[in-house]
Amino acid sequence: MKHVLAAALLLATPALAQPVAVQLDAEEVTVLLTGNTAIGEWEGTPYRQYFGEDGVTLFAQPEARTTRGEWRVDPESDEYQSIWPGDAEWEGWIVMVWMNEYYWLSRSTPPTVFEVVDGQQLVAE
C-alpha cells in the first residue's frame, strides 16, 4: 500500500517528481530478510548479517568472532527487531528503500545503506 501511495504521488505531480523514500511494511521486511544476508558498513567497519528462517541471526565482521542473536519483524510497527547476547530488550529498526537502495533507520542512528544477497553469505567471495 505504501508503494502504491508513493507511486501515485509521483504520477500526480510529474513536474515536481522526485524519488521518495518508502518504509517497507512487515511483510516486505520479512520477505526481504528471511534466508538472506545483508551486507554493509557499521560505524565504518564492513559487516554481513544472515537472517535465518528460524529467527536466528548471525552478525559477522572481519577479524571478529561471529555473533549469534535473534530476529523478528513486528507487524504493528513494521520494524525489524533484534536482540543480542547481553541485551535486555529487543531493538527496532525500520527498513527504507530509496532509489533502489535499502537503509536501516532507528531512533538513535542515521539511515545506513545495505544490500541484500541470497542465502547465507557470511564470508565474502
Side-chain angles (χ1 to χ4, degrees), residues 9 56 82 90 102 113:
L9 287 173
V56 169
S82 61
W90 290 83
Y102 296 108
V113 69

Side-chain angles (χ1 to χ4, degrees), residues 56-68:
V56 169
T57 185
L58 302 171
F59 185 85
Q61 290 184 299
E63 301 179 28
R65 183 176 225 175
T66 299
T67 304
R68 182 184 188 276

Side-chain angles (χ1 to χ4, degrees), residues 2-12:
K2 293 175 187 169
H3 292 292
V4 173
L5 179 58
L9 287 173
L10 287 173
L11 293 174

Side-chain angles (χ1 to χ4, degrees), residues 44-106:
T45 303
Y47 76 87
R48 289 173 176 260
Q49 184 173 354
Y50 173 70
F51 301 89
E53 294 178 19
D54 58 358
V56 169
T57 185
L58 302 171
F59 185 85
Q61 290 184 299
E63 301 179 28
R65 183 176 225 175
T66 299
T67 304
R68 182 184 188 276
E70 295 177 48
W71 78 284
R72 66 186 183 192
V73 178
D74 183 330
E76 296 200 12
S77 66
D78 293 323
E79 289 181 328
Y80 149 74
Q81 297 177 340
S82 61
I83 192 163
W84 302 93
D87 287 352
E89 298 179 7
W90 290 83
E91 185 172 2
W93 305 82
I94 61 171
V95 178
M96 304 287 294
V97 64
W98 182 66
M99 297 194 58
N100 298 321
E101 292 190 306
Y102 296 108
Y103 292 83
W104 302 116
L105 181 64
S106 77

Side-chain angles (χ1 to χ4, degrees), residues 11-23:
L11 293 174
T13 57
L16 302 174
Q18 293 186 9
V20 176
V22 177
Q23 178 181 349

Side-chain angles (χ1 to χ4, degrees), residues 7 15 28 36 86:
E28 292 168 321
N36 294 321

